[in-house]
Amino acid sequence: MNMEPEYKPRKWRVLGTTPARRDGIDKVTGQAKFGDDVHLPDMLHGKVVRSPHPHARIKSIDISKAMAVPGVKAVITGADFPPLNQAVVAAGEGGSVSMQDIADNCIAKHTVFYDGHAVAAVAADNPHVAEEAAALVEVEYEILPFLQDVREAVKDGAVVLHEDFVPGAFLFPTQKALPNAGRLQLAVGDVEQGFKDADIVVEREYTTATVHQGYIESHITTCRWDSEDHLTVWTTTQGAFAIRDFLASILNMQLSNIRVIPMEIGGGFGGKDVVYLDPLAALLAKKTGRPVKMAMSRAEVLKATGPSSGIYAKVKIGCKKDGTLMAADLYLLFEAGAYPGGPIAPGALCALTRYQIPNVVIDGYDVMVNKPKIKPYRAPGATQSNFIVETVIDELAEKCGMDPIDFRLKNATVAGDVLIVGMPVPPIGTVEMLQAVKKHPHYTAPLGGPNRGRGVSYAFWFGAGLTSSCELHINADGTVNLATGSADLSGTRMTLAMQAAEALGVPLGDISSSVSDTDSIGYTFQSVGSRTTFATGYAIIKAAEIILDRMKQRVAMIWETDVANVDCTAEVAGIADFVDRNDPHRRMHFKEVAARMDETGGPISADFTANPHGVGFQIAANICDVEVDPETGKVQILRFTAFQDVGKAVHPDYVAGQMQGGVVQGLGWALNEEYWYNKEGRLANASLLDYRMPTSLDLPMIDTVILETPNPGHPFGIRGAGEVPIVPPPAAVANAIKNAVGVRMNQLPMSPGAVLEAIWAKEGKPASVKVA
């Protein structure tokens, strides 16, 4: 990590204000263009044929009946795709990714690995004809045994999903250790001695269910393949360059022959940075010579796109009587889905990082099961591992007779502490945050009734840097065009424009901010990892510095002086005036310099590609009040306060929205959401009626407390904000349930049935009926 002090404190003009969202009117009036708004002349529509089996060998595919349907123009199967030109590629998040896995996940070649796995695709004149024809494709399967529980998958003699596989490498590489799993081990100190030195030890087992990101817009793509073998793709994605690169490998094409145009995105949360439909639509377009649009139904999204891992975990943590943590031993089985690459590394790394524990062993496994290939979901892996650790931490605090915040304060990691991977902790307000929680009125407010409880949770996330590109173009009237390659998931066109305005010293209204396609901007990594406002903002600030230097040169030319004699007040006061050091009364405003560009050498512009390493860590904490109905097990959230350190809040309203949105998703994870597979291995709740996400009627107003400890790795002190809010809610709810009705929950979701069973078990009552 780059620890060079780059933060430059200044009096902010733009950062910290709350301008209206420019794309808001377009989005609420339907003018914004999403994936389904692409309509091209002579366009066909595609539908996918999907396996109804969780694990089966494809013996034959008969497309003759489908091809006979009037209006059907093409049918493709896995056999129509060319061999991969590169089987393994480097991944920006660390390690390597198997392109064979990505390609096979788009369409099965020989074996299907989950209910909903694509086996063929049809293109027809309209989607109804395509759907009719897809139903007529006849696939003969040899049914194979399947696995959907990580505990079963790691047993000796378990069914083997892949005879050979490239171990997953999400953030950190894993090593092939078992027939169905890669392994990641982390250790520091002497754990055995640590537990001997501990006075109190808590050991628990946990399970969490598979959950989906729940974005409101499904996956939609339109592909056009022209006569010169150029492919143009309009798609809803978190990363246009990732889509381009995946397509180039799967279709055996040159990168320069593929143009990906990102549309507005109706939610992603980590689940829209990979290809699913795109290769199918592209090949159908090539085969028919006509554009092809493909859109998933909600059932297809739930069945066949990446959810987040369910897990099984064993946790053992010990401390002294005074609350000093001594040792921790974690055994983690994370679902990878049908192919390797689940979030075992971030899950393991975030499990304990917020605490200083001298003796730690984490034994983690990336376990393949017959479910869709796992995708990130907002701080991938951290929500699950935070739940299992924070509930044990709460229990230890209780056994020590300590206030739960005081216990956390006593053990909190602070700047300079060394993490388990050898990395020092950069400046971050861990103590300040926990103290803010304890001082907040919510923490001591009366609960006011029976079966009510209050819980807390404390969470950590790393964030990411990675590559971002931008361009700044100065217009003759002094306005500025800003272009980036970062997909806008949450208002980043505004937060990036605000940084440009701050850096250039111009009014925010003079900045026009846009997202470019892959032919029009330099390479940019996906909008993931809480990186966009941080990393792309970093690139913009550096480009702005180049712009101001070039404008200084123009001013020096006009004044017929050396450029060293020209100062720019934007670098100090945030207002772009150019001043003669030798004559403070001689000034030129930014707009005046822009107006004279033609006579001083022509247009002024700058581009910059950054890969910043000064990623500021993210921390968050929650206070949650619940009321539990002991007759039904239903948990009602009464009050919720979210705390987060964001470094510098560029747009505080956006930050609060990120915090509230993440909390709501975390509460859905805590109480309702889960994949239900029946005994045949088929997903039984593939609709938003049966896959239960929270609505506004389920929750109170989420109060937010924004803290600001500047990140020294960013010129404006910014650290990512989008991921950590989802991490602490499940543990906060679980700890509140314990204080409400005296039961500690060891599973997610904590559905009414699960809570009721726990209450009955505590009271020694046999369950008269099996509660689902």
Side-chain angles (χ1 to χ4, degrees):
M1 172 168 289
N2 180 12
M3 295 299 293
E4 291 297 321
E6 297 187 43
Y7 172 63
K8 303 172 185 176
R10 60 197 290 177
K11 184 177 180 181
W12 307 112
R13 294 180 309 107
V14 183
L15 269 62
T17 63
T18 57
R21 186 162 178 157
R22 293 175 183 171
D23 59 349
I25 292 176
D26 282 350
K27 285 185 174 175
V28 300
T29 59
Q31 297 301 305
K33 300 302 180 185
F34 290 82
D36 204 31
D37 294 315
V38 177
H39 302 284
L40 302 179
D42 213 23
M43 187 172 72
L44 300 173
H45 295 264
K47 290 292 180 180
V48 178
V49 180
R50 298 189 181 276
S51 167
H53 307 295
H55 195 198
R57 190 168 291 112
I58 300 170
K59 297 183 71 175
S60 65
I61 301 178
D62 185 348
I63 66 173
S64 58
K65 290 181 181 178
M67 286 299 299
V69 175
V72 171
K73 305 302 178 185
V75 180
I76 59 170
T77 69
D80 291 296
F81 284 82
L84 292 180
N85 61 2
Q86 192 174 7
V88 179
V89 297
E93 293 173 334
S96 300
V97 170
S98 167
M99 279 310 307
Q100 191 65 62
D101 289 350
I102 300 292
D104 289 350
N105 193 46
C106 290
I107 188 164
K109 309 300 190 299
H110 308 290
T111 305
V112 295
F113 289 103
Y114 53 89
D115 173 32
H117 200 164
V119 295
V122 179
D125 288 333
N126 65 63
H128 309 293
V129 171
E131 190 169 8
E132 177 189 350
L136 295 175
V137 173
E138 297 180 348
V139 185
E140 183 182 0
Y141 296 100
E142 177 190 344
I143 308 301
L144 301 173
F146 63 91
L147 295 165
Q148 291 183 326
D149 187 317
V150 289
R151 288 165 289 188
E152 296 298 319
V154 298
K155 287 182 178 178
D156 290 340
V159 174
V160 176
L161 269 63
H162 303 279
E163 292 300 329
D164 193 19
F165 64 90
V166 177
F170 191 113
L171 189 63
F172 277 26
T174 62
Q175 303 298 320
K176 188 172 182 180
L178 298 170
N180 288 317
R183 188 181 194 183
L184 174 68
Q185 291 180 295
L186 301 170
V188 65
D190 185 336
V191 170
E192 185 176 345
Q193 185 61 47
F195 281 118
K196 287 180 181 177
D197 294 339
D199 300 312
I200 301 167
V201 175
V202 172
E203 191 167 3
R204 296 285 179 261
E205 294 184 50
Y206 294 86
T207 60
T208 74
T210 311
V211 298
H212 198 273
Q213 297 86 350
Y215 33 79
I216 197 66
E217 178 197 32
S218 70
H219 292 259
I220 303 170
T221 190
T222 303
C223 294
R224 183 179 65 201
W225 198 302
D226 68 25
S227 58
E228 295 184 349
D229 273 349
H230 279 77
L231 173 64
T232 304
V233 182
W234 294 260
T235 191
T236 171
T237 180
Q238 293 178 235
F241 285 92
I243 303 302
R244 182 199 67 174
D245 294 358
F246 288 140
L247 284 170
S249 181
I250 293 170
L251 300 173
N252 201 357
M253 295 179 67
Q254 293 186 79
L255 291 171
S256 59
N257 281 1
I258 303 173
R259 179 189 181 198
V260 177
I261 302 172
M263 307 301 291
E264 296 286 355
I265 181 168
F269 313 113
K272 285 185 178 174
D273 66 346
V274 73
V275 287
Y276 293 111
L277 297 175
D278 309 90
L280 311 183
L283 197 57
L284 286 168
K286 180 180 183 180
K287 198 165 187 176
T288 61
R290 294 167 62 177
V292 174
K293 176 191 281 188
M294 300 185 75
M296 285 190 184
S297 67
R298 182 60 56 185
E300 287 180 298
V301 169
L302 290 168
K303 283 187 173 185
T305 66
S308 183
S309 302
I311 74 164
Y312 167 77
K314 290 193 290 188
V315 182
K316 182 180 179 182
I317 303 179
C319 68
K320 293 289 216 180
K321 290 178 183 178
D322 67 355
T324 303
L325 289 170
M326 297 302 298
D329 186 348
L330 274 59
Y331 172 74
L332 306 173
L333 303 181
F334 269 71
E335 290 176 353
Y339 301 93
I344 182 59
L349 290 167
C350 291
L352 299 165
T353 299
R354 60 204 173 280
Y355 298 117
Q356 190 56 234
I357 308 176
N359 307 291
V360 174
V361 167
I362 302 176
D363 193 15
Y365 293 83
D366 181 44
V367 186
M368 287 174 285
V369 291
N370 291 111
K371 295 182 181 181
K373 179 175 169 57
I374 295 300
K375 284 297 298 168
Y377 180 13
R378 228 175 172 162
T383 303
Q384 300 95 314
S385 62
N386 183 269
F387 168 67
I388 66 177
V389 168
E390 281 296 289
T391 50
V392 171
I393 290 291
D394 217 65
E395 188 171 355
L396 286 168
E398 181 184 33
K399 290 180 181 297
C400 289
M402 290 181 66
D403 176 273
I405 295 299
D406 287 341
F407 187 94
R408 289 166 170 83
L409 272 166
K410 185 177 184 65
N411 295 286
T413 301
V414 297
D417 287 343
V418 178
L419 303 181
I420 195 170
V421 292
M423 175 191 301
V425 176
I428 184 130
T430 53
V431 171
E432 292 83 353
M433 169 168 286
L434 291 168
Q435 288 174 338
V437 172
K438 191 171 183 183
K439 293 175 183 176
H440 195 276
H442 183 177
Y443 193 65
T444 54
L447 283 164
N451 302 313
R452 292 185 174 188
R454 175 169 298 137
V456 297
S457 177
Y458 173 45
F460 170 93
W461 178 249
F462 285 96
L466 304 169
T467 303
S468 282
S469 297
C470 72
E471 294 180 358
L472 288 170
H473 302 279
I474 311 303
N475 299 312
D477 61 357
T479 58
V480 181
N481 294 113
L482 164 65
T484 75
S486 294
D488 184 351
L489 277 73
S490 56
T492 50
R493 276 170 295 197
M494 174 62 80
T495 60
L496 296 176
M498 292 173 75
Q499 291 181 76
E502 191 75 63
L504 289 171
V506 303
L508 176 61
D510 287 353
I511 307 285
S512 172
S513 181
S514 63
V515 179
S516 296
D517 62 62
T518 56
D519 276 5
S520 307
I521 197 75
Y523 179 84
T524 299
F525 198 76
Q526 298 100 302
S527 293
V528 297
S530 302
R531 61 172 298 277
T532 304
T533 298
F534 165 76
T536 309
Y538 187 102
I540 288 166
I541 294 166
K542 295 301 182 183
E545 292 172 355
I546 295 171
I547 291 286
L548 294 178
D549 283 343
R550 290 173 179 171
M551 295 186 91
K552 284 181 185 179
Q553 294 170 10
R554 302 298 179 92
V555 171
M557 185 185 303
I558 293 168
W559 289 344
E560 298 182 347
T561 186
D562 193 281
V563 69
N565 295 327
V566 180
D567 276 339
C568 180
T569 58
E571 297 168 341
V572 179
I575 301 170
D577 275 340
F578 297 90
V579 183
D580 189 336
R581 286 186 176 184
N582 300 318
D583 182 1
H585 298 290
R586 183 153 72 167
R587 288 174 171 262
M588 284 190 75
H589 189 266
F590 188 96
K591 288 184 180 289
E592 295 178 89
V593 182
R596 300 182 66 175
M597 286 190 298
D598 283 350
E599 66 182 85
T600 57
I604 297 175
S605 63
D607 60 80
F608 198 89
T609 297
N611 189 355
H613 297 287
V615 179
F617 292 169
Q618 300 176 39
I619 53 172
N622 292 166
I623 309 174
C624 173
D625 293 355
V626 304
E627 183 174 25
V628 181
D629 184 341
E631 299 299 321
T632 65
K634 178 175 170 55
V635 177
Q636 182 68 40
I637 307 295
L638 302 175
R639 184 177 179 182
F640 205 100
T641 304
F643 301 75
Q644 187 170 331
D645 188 338
V646 302
K648 175 61 188 174
V650 177
H651 192 301
D653 282 358
Y654 284 13
V655 171
Q658 287 287 324
M659 294 167 68
Q660 291 165 331
V663 164
V664 170
Q665 290 178 312
L667 291 175
W669 203 328
L671 296 175
N672 303 108
E673 297 182 40
E674 62 181 317
Y675 270 32
W676 276 89
Y677 283 93
N678 62 23
K679 63 181 181 180
E680 289 80 29
R682 298 188 179 105
L683 186 63
N685 61 332
S687 75
L688 294 188
L689 179 64
D690 298 314
Y691 182 86
R692 178 77 165 81
M693 294 193 296
T695 71
S696 60
L697 300 177
D698 296 313
L699 302 168
M701 179 65 183
I702 309 298
D703 296 320
T704 60
V705 178
I706 299 172
L707 305 173
E708 295 183 321
T709 305
N711 170 23
H714 188 281
F716 293 166
I718 293 167
R719 60 181 83 241
E723 289 183 283
V724 77
I726 200 174
V727 180
V733 174
N735 293 332
I737 290 172
K738 164 59 174 63
N739 293 325
V741 290
V743 297
R744 287 207 176 270
M745 301 301 297
N746 65 349
Q747 67 182 84
L748 296 181
M750 295 172 286
S751 62
V755 174
L756 191 57
E757 284 192 338
I759 292 172
W760 285 345
K762 175 192 169 220
E763 296 174 351
K765 295 179 182 177
S768 57
V769 293
K770 178 62 180 176
V771 180

